[in-house]
Amino acid sequence: MDLHPLTAVHFLPLWFLVFALFLPRIALLVGWLQGTLVQFHLHGLIPLLFGIFLPRILILFLIYVDQGVSLWFVIHLVVAVMVWGGSGGYHSRRRRRDG
């Protein structure tokens, strides 16, 4: 019997995983202010830029580092694809209607 999955320690709390589905920038800010993200050593300009411009990619990276390819990773990946795929159609429909 493999006990490795039973002894895994996950640093990301449940509130962060759920909140990041809906408001990723705010979840990253609150997690950073609370010290939740200290374990991931996010220092420098690159994580800051990802947090500002592409927060869902940063959250996917954090989940992957913390848990690997887990159910939470897949859920966040599906939401990210839906958000990225749906936002382009909204802007193109809006331009056609306005013009």
Side-chain angles (χ1 to χ4, degrees):
M1 181 172 161
D2 187 21
L3 295 177
H4 181 66
L6 299 176
T7 60
V9 176
H10 300 296
F11 292 110
L12 292 175
L14 181 62
W15 69 263
F16 179 83
L17 294 170
V18 173
F19 194 43
L21 283 170
F22 304 105
L23 299 168
R25 285 184 182 95
I26 295 173
L28 284 169
L29 178 65
V30 172
W32 180 73
L33 290 174
Q34 283 191 343
T36 305
L37 306 178
V38 171
Q39 296 88 311
F40 298 100
H41 305 290
L42 297 177
H43 305 292
L45 189 60
I46 301 294
L48 177 64
L49 291 175
F50 267 92
I52 293 171
F53 296 113
L54 298 169
R56 293 198 185 273
I57 290 179
L58 182 58
I59 290 172
L60 283 170
F61 173 75
L62 291 172
I63 295 171
Y64 181 76
V65 168
D66 188 39
Q67 302 175 4
V69 179
S70 64
L71 180 61
W72 280 109
F73 182 83
V74 172
I75 290 170
H76 279 269
L77 183 63
V78 168
V79 168
V81 168
M82 287 172 44
V83 167
W84 289 328
S87 66
Y90 170 75
H91 293 294
S92 64
R93 282 192 306 263
R94 186 174 172 190
R95 281 191 211 124
R96 275 189 256 140
R97 215 178 353 202
D98 291 341

